[in-house]
Amino acid sequence: MDGSATTRNAPVTNSSPASPKPKISHRRILAVPWVWVAGGTLFLGNFILGAIESTLPLYFQRAFGSSTAVSGLAFFFFGILYGIVAPLVGYIVDRKFVSLRTFQISGLVVVGLACQLVGPALYLHWPRSMVLSFMSMVLVAEGTACLNVLGVVDVTRALSEHGVGTPLELRYAVAGFTRAALALGYASGPVVGSSIVAALNFQTGFALIGLVYFGVAAFISALCLVSYLKSYSKSVSESAKPAEGQELID
């Protein structure tokens, strides 16, 4: 049988090479604004841990005459509560009972509140209490769980929405970015936190740090509001276009 017939009847395929996908680079990752927001919350989630770990034992010793074992007990309860809250936060977000951004903002507010109570802040005019300090560690565990657990998901979602890559393609880049943010927060917490406490005092220093967390929560809330208004106005304008076209037809 002649092979020319087979050649004539063979389907014509496009032999032009497919356009290569853009590589996933750090420049493309850092160009996404919400990546900086997610990285900032991860940084703050570990910053407060480093700041408290470096200053709380000395504060307990000076204020209550307690040994380092008491502050170690506070961090023991912190670890237990963090281990309980962290998977619960992930489960709630997976079930879409509460949005990821709501948890992040609430985590910042809770940590800011804990910073006001751990001393407590001088403007509260409350007596210093070890029970109040332990309660503030409970709040820190809840707040940092909301900030740290969702950071990887937030970075991955932000990059996927901006077309940087799929979650499977981004897994190593996201892991490196989030671990770097956590490490920088934990490394700078003891230096900055202890410097602020040494320059002021424990109560005033942490009250000031708490105000930073409140400010970041307000900033992210404003970004969410602006993003919502933009998407809402876009949806309204898109829904109005068919109506205008229908009027021209009528």
Side-chain angles (χ1 to χ4, degrees), residues 43 174-185:
F43 175 89
V174 170
F177 179 82
T178 54
R179 298 305 186 276
L182 291 170
L184 288 174

Side-chain angles (χ1 to χ4, degrees), residues 58-118:
L58 183 60
Y59 170 70
F60 274 5
Q61 184 179 359
R62 291 179 176 178
F64 310 111
S66 62
S67 64
T68 55
V70 177
S71 59
L73 185 63
F75 287 104
F76 170 77
F77 285 119
F78 165 84
I80 295 297
L81 290 170
Y82 188 97
I84 295 174
V85 175
L88 182 61
V89 169
Y91 174 80
I92 292 174
V93 173
D94 282 339
R95 294 290 181 175
K96 302 187 185 304
F97 296 138
V98 181
S99 67
L100 181 150
R101 202 68 61 196
T102 301
F103 263 124
Q104 282 183 330
I105 295 172
S106 62
L108 290 166
V109 172
V110 169
V111 173
L113 179 62
C115 291
Q116 310 304 313
L117 298 178
V118 69

Side-chain angles (χ1 to χ4, degrees), residues 212-229:
V212 174
Y213 281 78
F214 288 145
V216 175
F219 175 72
I220 295 178
S221 300
L223 288 180
C224 292
L225 179 61
V226 171
S227 178
Y228 170 77
L229 292 176

